[in-house]
Structure formats: C-alpha cells, structure tokens
Amino acid sequence: MITIPVYDMIILPGITYYFKKDVFQELSIKDAQKGDEVLFLFMKEDRTREEMKEDDFYPIGIMGTYQGNDENGNISVKTTTSVDVRELTVTEDDMKVSVEPREEIEDITEEEKKEKFGQMKDALLKFVQGFQWGVMARGYILHWKTMEEVVSSLAGYLNLTNEEKYEILAADHLSIRTELIEKAVYEFMEMTRVGQEAENDQVESYEKVYREDAIKKQIDFLQKELDEMHPENVSDVRRFEKKIKESGMNEEARKEADKVLNRMKQEGKDSHEYGMLYDYLDFVTGLSWKKEDMKDVDLTEAEEILDKEHYGLKKVKRRIIQQLAVMALNRKQSGSILLFVGPPGTGKTSIGQSIADALHRKYVRVSLGGVRDEAEIRGHRRTYIGAMPGRIMDGMKRCGTSNPVMVLDEVDKLSKDYSGDPASALLEVLDPEQNSTFTDHYMNVPYDLSDVLFVCTANTMDTIPEPLLNRMEIIQFPGYTAVEKFQIARKHLLPKAMKTMGIKAQNLRVTDDAIRKIISDYTMESGVRGLKKQLNTLCRYAAVKLVKKEQKSVTVSPRRLQEFLDQKPIHHENILEEKKPGVVTGLAWTAAGGEILFIETMFTKGSGKVLITGQLGDVMKESIQIAITLVKSLYPEYSDKFKENDLHVHVPEGAVPKDGPSAGITLTSALASLVTGKAVSPEYAMTGEVSLRGGVMPIGGLTEKLMAAQRAGISKVLIPAQNVDDLDEVADEVKEKLEIIPVHTVEEVLKLLLNERK
C-alpha cells in the first residue's frame, strides 16, 4: 500500500486525481504497479518528510487505486472510500498504517444530488462569463461530473482553512457533506464577484486619478508656457508655487504653505478670505529660510569701524570686539545677548548699526517702546480679523536674511495689561537654547532665530523683569563728558548736519568756543541728542542767510549764540553762593543724565509733625524717616527739637518727581546741620544710601553724578567706599577736577562736614 501525506487539499471518494510524477519520487515510492492501493493521509500542519510524526495526521484518510501514468508521465489515482486510521507508525524510511473502512450514511437520493449539481454547474457557467478567463474555465466546468469533482478542483481557490477542508471529508452524512460543498462553492463565487467589483471600482478610481493628474500636468505645462511668454500676467497661485519651491522652507513650514495655497486655489479671487490667504503666503515666502554661511570676522576692520563712527565708549567697544572674537572662533552665532543701558543720545542704538557693518550683515531695528500686547511680539493668530505677524518676524522679513543684527530698542519701556506680558514673550526670543524653533502665532510654524545677533537697549534696568534681565549681559553706556561731547560735535555731528542742510564747509564756521558754550549752557543731557538739535538749528539759521544772499559765509561765535539759537541758556543748578544750616547739596541720576539737587530742611513751631514736599517717592520718604532716627540717635541732646517743632523737608524742583535711596547721607547731613546749627560748606556734594546702623551703602549712576558735580562747580564729593571700584569708569578729566572722598559711615560724613565726632 502506497501512503501519500497531503496538506490543504480536498480529496473525496469517487474521483480520479492526477499527480505529477515527482510526487511519488519525492515520497521514495518506487516500482508502483497499476492496481496498487494508495492511502491519502491528511496532515494537520505542513511538514517535511523528516519532520512528520504520528500526531501530525487526522484520523480519517482516503483509499484509492493507482491507475498508471499518462503520456506526460503524470500519475492518476482513483479514490474509492474513506477509512479510519487505527494504527500509524512513522519512521525515517517508511510509514506503516492500519485502516478500517468508514461507513458513510447516504441520506440524500441520487436525483437530489444531480439536481443540486446541475444548479451548481449552471451557476458556475454563468459566473465565469464575466471574466476574461471564463472561456477556458467553461471547458473545465463542462468536464465535471459530480459536486465532489467541483469542490476538489477548486480546493486551491476556496477561502477555506485546512481544518474546514478536512471537515468536508469527515462528514459521514452525505447530506451534510453536500451542504458544506455548496456553501464553499457558492461563497467562492460570491466573494470572487465582490472582489472583482471592488477591483473594477478601484481601477476606475485610479483611471480617474491618472486622468486628472495628466490633465493637471498639461494645464501646468501650458500655463508655464504662457507665464514665460507674458511674465507680467503670472497668476498669484503660480507665483506663490514658485516662491514656495525656491524658498528652502523646513518641512513643517512647507506643509502649512502648501495647505494655504491649496485653499487659495479653491477659494478663488472673489472669496472674502483670498486677501488673508494672499497676505500669509506673501509673508512666509518673503522670509529668508536658508541658513547663511558664517563670514570671516576681521577684528582690525571691526575696531576701525567702531572707532570711526563712535567716539569714546572704550569699555563698550572692547566688549563688542570680544563678542566678535568668540563668533570668529566658533564660526557661528554665539555668546551673550548684549543689553546696552544708558541715558538717551549716548549711541546705544547706532552702535548696533556699526556692529552690523563690522560683521557685513544686514541691520534691522525693532522698537519695543510702549508695547503692552504679547501679540506684538509673538504675532496674532490668523483666526482674528486683521491678524499680523509679531514685530520680531516682521523685522526678519524686512531685512531679508536669516542672520541680521537685530536691535531691540527700549526694552525697558515694555508694559503689560490684560492682553498679556510682552516681556515674557521675549524670553523665548532671547534664549539661544529655545529660539531655534521660535513659533510666531501668525505663521504657526517654527522659524530658526539662532543665527540672529540680538542687541537690546534700555535707559534703565529698573523696569525690566528679572527673568528677562538674566538672559542678557548688561553693558553700561556712561554719559559723555564735555570734552567727549566737543569731539563728537566737531567730528561727527556738525559735518553731518552741514551735509544734511546742503551747506559747504566754506559757508559756515562754528568756533570751538561756540561749541563748548552750546555744550555747557544750551544742553543738559548725558548724551548728544540735544547737542545735535542745537547744531541743526545753527545750520538752518545759516541756510536762511545764504539763500537770501545776506552773507556769503556765516561765523558762529559764543557772543551771538543766543541770536542764532533763538533761546536763552538752560538754567543748571550751580554751587550755593552762601552756606546755611539745614541745606546740603546732593547728587541725583535721571534718565537724561546726572544733576545736583539741594536738600532743604527747616524747623517751625509745632508738635513734631513732618512735612515733606517736592514730589518725593516712597523710597525717598523712607530715607527721611531713617535720617531722622539717625540724627536723634547721634545727637540725643537735640532730640527735643523734633518734639517741639514741625520739620519741613523740601527738595527743589517741586514739579519734578524724585525717588531712590541714594539721598540717604544727604538727608542725614541736612538734618544734622539743622539741629546743630552748623552750616555745610557749599563746595561739598554727596551721594549714598544709609542704613539704620549708620553705614553708607553703594549707589548707581556714579559716573553721571560726578559729571553733574563737576559741571556745577563742586570741588569735593563724598561717595560710598564700596563705589570706589566704579571710579575706573569715570573719565580722567572729571576726576582731575574733583576731590572724591570715600566714606564708610554716617559718623565719618558728619565729622567731615560739621567738624564733630559723635
């Protein structure tokens, strides 16, 4: 008996099966004779001959008879009946099997079988008509004689598992087997039909897509030809398509731009949203998305540019050169964010232009003064009508490059309200670790700001939030001395003013003494903005004279300045002409520079009340309370005066608000002078904060205060000992004209001023 293991097949009794001759060879079956018995055993899983075991077979098999070979050498086997496998032994070389015939219950008549077979055959013939291979399949169908032949021939195409195929064989009732066969064949036809319909629909869909793509390509080709013939008539969509393609955007930005462009195509020019979509695409395609190569930094050239365009500012220039040197070594934007702090007109903003020239980069200035809406920095979301990008990205579009020098002007003038905190929005902009993916709300895609060299300017640090201040390196811009102002006026301001007004050098002569008088009597600032205005006024006056041909040349001398400038000299507080108890000279810092001020105190009959005038702030009022306590402590013998009299403290000018702690020793000295009746010499001026322990603590703005003292004719200045290191930043010409006395305690101050030791 020849035993043949099979897998995933349907073999039923009463059918002739054809096998390729190599099947017998693979199973090592030799010398098979016609009429030999053949046993088909059904495997549960597909195994090789070497892997087969007894448990791998189902307990039912099919017996058949070997019929011989055809002309092609193929082998035919006619099946006879199903059998139960009783014993099975599998060895490396052979399979020994013991079987018994299996009884099948014929509970369906031959007529019923023929009728069902006829219906199935008709259904198959009708089914194959809808396929290209139907003609070939029709011959096979006509050749089939029983339902068993149908299902066995289609076994490889049926959507049945190996277990379901075996289930057909295992059915011992013919009616059940017939139902299983019908179910398998009809399901096959229906599933094939549905699959074909889906495939046809898919093909139609693909054909439609391919046709649409072909039409679009033809349209694009024709439109391109038209655009080349008439470039002035290029449509917005075509222009933006080209811009997006050439922009070098990152992937996220490209997707967003394509999305907006597709929407723009769908909306059409008549849509009310077309303008908004156009503005967005115009903005994002106008940005520079490509990273610029780092150019070589020539420090010698940079120093020459800074010296040529700005006089003085040695410390500032040195720090800028250091920043450029770091960038040259790293070959990329690196180093701290610089914050220039100083009075107006000291060159904070214009030095940003010089940095851009030294680096051969574009320069862009963004003014932040008065900004109180976070959207001004980060942009408005496009869902709002009138949405615009923030000032940072607007500046990036204006400069047209990805690595400009951007000056953020007046960061101390930011304010916040219900619209948000713009200073907080700047935190991401100025953080080198975060700004590589800065996302403007209007753009809604990240943009790389890491190559931008940010320079910030401010008049004071008091109003800048601490987190923002920590992201920047503070560089103080001191006020200019009179000598520096003279050099700036002579070398820069006057030639520029004459060029602007169209006046030639031979038509206007301004003497050195006239310039010095303008500086001393007609300006009162630390910077040179007021000086520039006065020189512009001189040039305009000369222009009128020249145009009217009243004079061929105009000479400006100190005597005629009031006539030329059409104004009186500005009044500066000068040294007191006479000394008086209770009046002491102090030094103050303002946004326009340094100034001297007088602390005036007076006792009047009363009950110990304290009256304060001169628009003093809370800090200065607290300094008065500290000063009163210190004087009572140092001069207990005079403490009754504070009970028996009312104390009036006044600081002129009354209309100007004043605040800060640096008037502490001035207030204490004035009260000590008042209670002792000893006047303080007018040649002294002072600045310093006091503590309740009597110590003198450091202050800010020392340079501007000393310049104000020197200008007012003061000869001796008392400063906190802890501010001695700050004297390095004070110009030598100022220090040479002043006797600067460092003090540690209030007792030192009073001993010096009142010649007493307490």
Side-chain angles (χ1 to χ4, degrees):
M1 184 172 62
I2 302 170
T3 304
I4 302 178
V6 295
Y7 175 75
D8 199 27
M9 293 180 64
I10 299 177
I11 299 179
L12 299 173
I15 303 172
T16 300
Y17 288 89
Y18 294 90
F19 299 92
K20 292 183 179 180
K21 59 182 177 181
D22 40 346
V23 171
F24 278 66
Q25 294 171 358
E26 287 176 3
L27 296 172
S28 301
I29 300 172
K30 300 176 182 178
D31 303 326
Q33 299 295 323
K34 186 175 181 180
D36 289 348
E37 288 186 330
V38 177
L39 172 63
F40 293 104
L41 292 179
F42 296 90
M43 291 187 290
K44 298 176 181 177
E45 294 182 6
D46 195 10
R47 304 283 189 188
T48 63
R49 181 67 182 82
E50 293 77 14
E51 296 173 338
M52 292 179 187
K53 296 179 181 178
E54 289 81 356
D55 295 340
D56 293 333
F57 295 92
Y58 286 110
I60 300 175
I62 289 289
M63 290 297 297
T65 305
Y66 175 55
Q67 300 291 308
N69 298 6
D70 60 12
E71 63 274 8
N72 295 323
N74 294 325
I75 298 163
S76 61
V77 177
K78 182 175 179 61
T79 58
T80 55
T81 183
S82 59
V83 294
D84 291 324
V85 179
R86 296 303 181 190
E87 293 182 9
L88 173 62
T89 304
V90 180
T91 63
E92 293 182 1
D93 301 326
D94 196 8
M95 297 178 67
K96 295 181 179 180
V97 187
S98 172
V99 297
E100 290 183 0
R102 178 180 175 81
E103 183 181 356
E104 293 185 349
I105 302 172
E106 297 185 4
D107 55 352
I108 183 172
T109 64
E110 194 67 28
E111 288 74 16
E112 287 179 316
K113 283 186 65 176
K114 287 183 178 180
E115 182 181 355
K116 289 181 180 293
F117 170 68
Q119 293 173 350
M120 181 181 293
K121 196 171 183 179
D122 292 341
L124 283 168
L125 290 171
K126 185 177 180 181
F127 165 71
V128 299
Q129 290 178 0
F131 299 94
Q132 294 179 352
W133 43 265
V135 176
M136 182 179 65
R138 181 179 177 83
Y140 284 102
I141 296 171
L142 293 173
H143 183 71
W144 291 331
K145 299 295 188 292
T146 63
M147 294 177 67
E148 286 77 8
E149 286 188 11
V150 174
V151 73
S152 297
S153 300
L154 295 177
Y157 304 100
L158 300 177
N159 189 27
L160 298 177
T161 64
N162 185 49
E163 291 79 6
E164 290 173 330
K165 290 177 180 179
Y166 173 75
E167 186 182 352
I168 296 175
L169 168 65
D172 53 1
H173 288 67
L174 291 181
S175 61
I176 296 175
R177 181 181 294 170
T178 302
E179 288 178 6
L180 293 174
I181 292 173
E182 286 181 319
K183 182 174 182 292
V185 174
Y186 285 120
E187 278 187 359
F188 157 72
M189 288 190 287
E190 194 60 35
M191 290 182 67
T192 305
R193 188 181 294 110
V194 171
Q196 186 64 34
E197 290 175 358
E199 185 177 345
N200 291 338
D201 288 344
Q202 191 173 14
V203 169
E204 290 179 7
S205 177
Y206 284 155
E207 288 177 352
K208 184 177 180 181
V209 171
Y210 297 149
R211 179 178 175 80
E212 185 177 347
D213 288 344
I215 293 172
K216 284 181 179 178
K217 286 180 180 178
Q218 287 186 341
I219 292 174
D220 289 343
F221 175 77
L222 296 174
Q223 186 65 53
K224 185 178 180 182
E225 293 289 319
L226 287 173
D227 292 345
E228 290 177 355
M229 294 173 64
H230 301 285
E232 70 280 1
N233 295 330
V234 176
S235 67
D236 295 337
V237 171
R238 292 289 302 174
R239 186 168 63 254
F240 284 134
E241 282 179 348
K242 185 177 180 182
K243 283 186 174 183
I244 292 171
K245 186 177 180 181
E246 298 173 353
S247 65
M249 295 179 181
N250 58 57
E251 185 177 354
E252 193 170 343
R254 180 72 177 265
K255 287 181 179 178
E256 183 70 14
D258 288 340
K259 175 183 172 184
V260 174
L261 183 62
N262 289 332
R263 187 174 169 191
M264 186 176 174
K265 290 178 185 177
Q266 296 169 2
E267 293 286 342
K269 283 192 174 183
D270 296 332
S271 169
H272 66 281
E273 289 190 3
Y274 185 87
M276 181 269 290
L277 301 173
Y278 180 96
D279 290 342
Y280 177 79
L281 290 174
D282 183 57
F283 181 79
V284 295
T285 56
L287 290 169
S288 175
W289 293 87
K290 299 174 182 176
K291 291 184 78 69
E292 302 287 343
D293 294 332
M294 181 70 182
K295 296 180 180 178
D296 293 333
V297 180
D298 188 339
L299 293 184
T300 304
E301 180 190 11
E303 288 175 342
E304 291 174 356
I305 291 173
L306 292 173
D307 289 337
K308 178 183 176 182
E309 298 181 0
H310 293 83
Y311 184 84
L313 303 174
K314 292 182 180 179
K315 183 179 178 182
V316 175
K317 293 177 183 176
R318 184 170 67 248
R319 177 61 187 86
I320 291 171
I321 293 298
Q322 292 171 358
Q323 179 92 343
L324 301 186
V326 172
M327 292 171 60
L329 288 175
N330 288 331
R331 301 291 300 169
K332 65 178 183 179
Q333 167 61 36
S334 57
S336 306
I337 306 296
L338 301 181
L339 172 62
F340 297 153
V341 181
T346 49
K348 300 185 299 298
T349 303
S350 59
I351 207 167
Q353 177 70 68
S354 301
I355 296 173
D357 294 341
L359 289 171
H360 301 289
R361 293 190 185 186
K362 293 290 185 67
Y363 166 80
V364 61
R365 174 180 168 273
V366 177
S367 177
L368 300 179
V371 171
R372 58 182 181 179
D373 187 351
E374 181 185 348
E376 291 282 342
I377 305 296
R378 204 181 280 278
H380 302 80
R381 299 192 184 278
R382 298 201 307 275
T383 51
Y384 298 108
I385 296 175
M388 295 186 299
R391 297 197 181 193
I392 303 298
M393 293 311 304
D394 182 65
M396 294 301 296
K397 182 176 183 293
R398 281 189 281 119
C399 70
T401 180
S402 62
N403 66 339
V405 175
M406 181 175 287
V407 174
L408 302 179
D409 226 356
E410 312 290 358
V411 294
D412 58 326
K413 307 298 191 301
L414 292 169
S415 58
K416 61 181 179 179
D417 59 8
Y418 63 90
S419 300
D421 183 4
S424 298
L426 275 181
L427 295 177
E428 181 184 359
V429 175
L430 298 180
D431 190 340
E433 302 297 325
Q434 300 179 33
N435 62 12
S436 59
T437 55
F438 174 73
T439 302
D440 185 278
H441 287 161
Y442 179 78
M443 292 172 57
N444 200 32
V445 292
Y447 187 87
D448 188 356
L449 293 176
S450 60
D451 289 339
V452 180
L453 176 57
F454 288 103
V455 176
C456 304
T457 73
N459 296 132
T460 176
M461 296 182 292
D462 297 343
T463 56
I464 302 176
E466 190 68 26
L468 182 58
L469 204 58
N470 285 340
R471 275 170 166 75
M472 301 180 283
E473 180 177 346
I474 301 162
I475 299 178
Q476 293 285 351
F477 271 60
Y480 293 113
T481 64
V483 174
E484 289 174 330
K485 285 185 179 181
F486 174 79
Q487 295 293 339
I488 292 170
R490 179 58 73 192
K491 294 179 180 179
H492 299 281
L493 300 182
L494 185 57
K496 187 175 180 181
M498 292 174 65
K499 182 179 179 181
T500 303
M501 307 297 176
I503 299 174
K504 297 179 180 179
Q506 63 267 26
N507 298 130
L508 176 64
R509 177 176 173 269
V510 182
T511 66
D512 291 349
D513 290 339
I515 294 177
R516 290 189 178 96
K517 188 170 181 62
I518 293 173
I519 293 169
S520 62
D521 294 350
Y522 289 87
T523 61
M524 59 179 297
E525 57 177 357
S526 295
V528 293
R529 199 167 287 163
L531 177 58
K532 178 183 177 182
K533 293 176 184 177
Q534 301 299 345
L535 294 175
N536 286 343
T537 303
L538 288 181
C539 292
R540 287 194 297 269
Y541 181 89
V544 173
K545 294 291 185 183
L546 294 171
V547 172
K548 286 185 175 181
K549 298 183 179 180
E550 295 178 2
Q551 295 176 240
K552 290 185 178 179
S553 66
V554 178
T555 300
V556 180
S557 62
R559 283 188 306 106
R560 299 183 64 191
L561 273 181
Q562 193 166 342
E563 172 194 345
F564 288 141
L565 298 177
D566 194 26
Q567 68 179 71
K568 295 180 181 180
I570 296 173
H571 171 71
H572 289 281
E573 294 286 2
N574 290 318
I575 187 171
L576 291 171
E577 295 180 359
E578 57 178 342
K579 57 183 180 180
K580 182 179 179 182
V583 180
V584 179
T585 305
L587 299 174
W589 179 91
T590 68
E595 196 59 84
I596 69 168
L597 52 79
F598 302 112
I599 304 294
E600 301 175 349
T601 60
M602 182 179 290
F603 276 135
T604 57
K605 281 294 181 181
S607 57
K609 295 179 182 178
V610 178
L611 179 63
I612 300 170
T613 56
Q615 284 210 58
L616 306 188
D618 291 339
V619 176
M620 208 162 178
K621 289 177 181 177
E622 290 176 354
S623 294
I624 293 173
Q625 297 296 331
I626 295 171
I628 292 172
T629 302
L630 281 173
V631 171
K632 286 180 179 179
S633 173
L634 294 170
Y635 299 96
E637 65 272 22
Y638 297 115
S639 59
D640 289 342
K641 286 190 176 184
F642 290 95
K643 295 180 181 178
E644 299 167 356
N645 299 283
D646 289 342
L647 173 63
H648 189 160
V649 180
H650 178 66
V651 182
E653 300 167 354
V656 180
K658 310 166 191 72
D659 201 7
S662 61
I665 62 170
T666 315
L667 288 163
T668 306
S669 301
L671 289 175
S673 170
L674 180 65
V675 297
T676 60
K678 295 180 180 180
V680 176
S681 172
E683 65 182 359
Y684 283 100
M686 64 203 73
T687 180
E689 182 180 357
V690 295
S691 69
L692 204 56
R693 293 175 281 109
V696 179
M697 296 185 292
I699 45 81
L702 181 64
T703 302
E704 288 80 3
K705 292 176 180 179
L706 293 180
M707 289 171 60
Q710 180 251 327
R711 183 180 62 212
I714 302 294
S715 59
K716 299 178 182 179
V717 178
L718 277 60
I719 67 169
Q722 296 181 48
N723 281 111
V724 171
D725 291 341
D726 296 335
L727 292 174
D728 294 339
E729 301 177 11
V730 181
D732 292 337
E733 62 194 79
V734 175
K735 292 188 283 188
E736 288 169 1
K737 296 181 180 180
L738 294 173
E739 180 184 350
I740 301 172
I741 306 169
V743 292
H744 295 82
T745 64
V746 172
E747 290 187 349
E748 287 183 45
V749 176
L750 298 180
K751 177 187 175 183
L752 187 65
L753 298 179
L754 306 178
N755 296 316
E756 291 188 12
R757 180 184 296 275
K758 287 289 175 181

